[in-house]
Amino acid sequence: GFLLGLESRGRASIAVSAVATVVASAARFGWPAGLAAASALVLALSRRYNDVGPVKEFIMSKTDIEIVDAPIPKAPYELQLDGELVGERKAKVSWYIKSDDALRRGLRDGALGFGEAYMEGQWDTDDIERFCSELLRLEGVEKELGWRAVPLLFSLVLGAASSRLIPRNTLKSAPVNVGFHYNISNRLYEKMLGPTMMYSSAYFCRPGMDLDEAQRTKMKMIAEKLDLRPGLRVLEIGFGWGSVAHFLASEYGVKVTGLSLSQEQLEFARERNAHPNVEFLLQDYRTLAAEPFDRIVSIEMIEHVGRKHLPEFFSKCDDLLVKDGVMLIQSIGCSIWKVMVGKSFIEKYIFPGCEPPQQTDFASITSRFHLEDWQSFGKDYARTMRLWRYNLGNWEGLEEFDERFRRMWEYYLLSCAASFDRRRTKVWQLVYTKTGSGRTRDCHHA
């Protein structure tokens, strides 16, 4: 009777009914009968799970995705100078499913499952960013899939639990996490990032700006917000490839100490961005013992701190900043809890240990720091990531990276572009002074 009901119900509550049925069968007829009922249930669920037809219909009914029967030829990635897309937007984005297992993986693991299936060539599309943007429209309506949504919801809960219970970015694990991504190949980053070697969102404040101009504009904006003057001592936590440190020392006459956990970045910065007033160190900010600095800047490093370690991060910054100092943090942020769960494509393949903060995560530091300014420009990150993908072209000169890596990297860049464009993820610049500061005015840069 239960199995007949299974065919008609199609709701997430089926899982509760399943357990109740097995327990009732065991109580009435003994555990062999209960196990037999469980086996029959698993078999029925498996057959229903393998039928992805309803899932395809669900996706097409809720989005502008069109499933096509023929393989999609690979076309050059075209883009305007300022990161805007070329041409008119098509009414539908095409999706070619080579294996239905791609859908099952998506049902089980969400974005992680779809990403892995793309890496392995199980599906293709004529527009990765648009496709991912359309999939994001399904957030919040997963329950309409009924019992098919149970594996995905369970996966999200499990990922959220692991992200809170498993220690991340400790003094021991942080260098491993950083090296996983930033020590891949300086040649890859040189081709992708361009001359500025800035691996953070650019600032497109005027029409027609190219990537390099937008990155330099961002660096100038950072300098103005920090209220720099010659001779000031600046600490940069996470110096990347050294571009910001060199820019601030060269253009504003400050002395910069930069910290990183990447050996590849350290070697590049010391070779390409050496300056008499810049010192690059391979060191964790938590172990730095130094006289307080006049200014602190950290550009998209705080995501690697981990939400549990944010109070420790700001406490250390409090120790390392003079009473009347200024601190600027540029951070990727998230608007919903799903972005932060541990079982994600970005966390597994791109940035291990990465946890973008939410707005509320900054509330715990209000006793130490006074927030002077909060600027958001996440839409510009969509443009930035598109231009990074455009710079890669057909991967000329990067033949050491196989097709699986290239597909992984392109999915990373363009799925993130979709998320920033939809404002699901953010880019923030926050300017802080100390609560007890003697500075006479706020937002001096405005």
Side-chain angles (χ1 to χ4, degrees), residues 10 46 50 52 64 98 102 109 115 149 151 211 215 258 286 299 432-433 438:
S46 177
N50 285 329
V52 295
D64 289 327
K98 186 177 180 180
D109 295 322
L211 179 61
Q215 290 287 21
R286 289 167 284 194
I299 303 173
Y432 290 102
T433 53

Side-chain angles (χ1 to χ4, degrees), residues 6 46 103 120 236:
L6 171 66
S46 177
L103 285 163
E120 295 170 15
E236 184 180 13

Side-chain angles (χ1 to χ4, degrees), residues 383-402:
R383 294 189 182 205
T384 303
M385 290 193 143
R386 291 172 194 148
L387 287 163
W388 288 343
R389 168 61 191 94
Y390 180 79
N391 285 346
L392 289 173
N394 290 322
W395 293 76
E396 301 92 344
L398 298 171
E399 288 76 16
E400 65 267 33
F401 297 102
D402 61 19

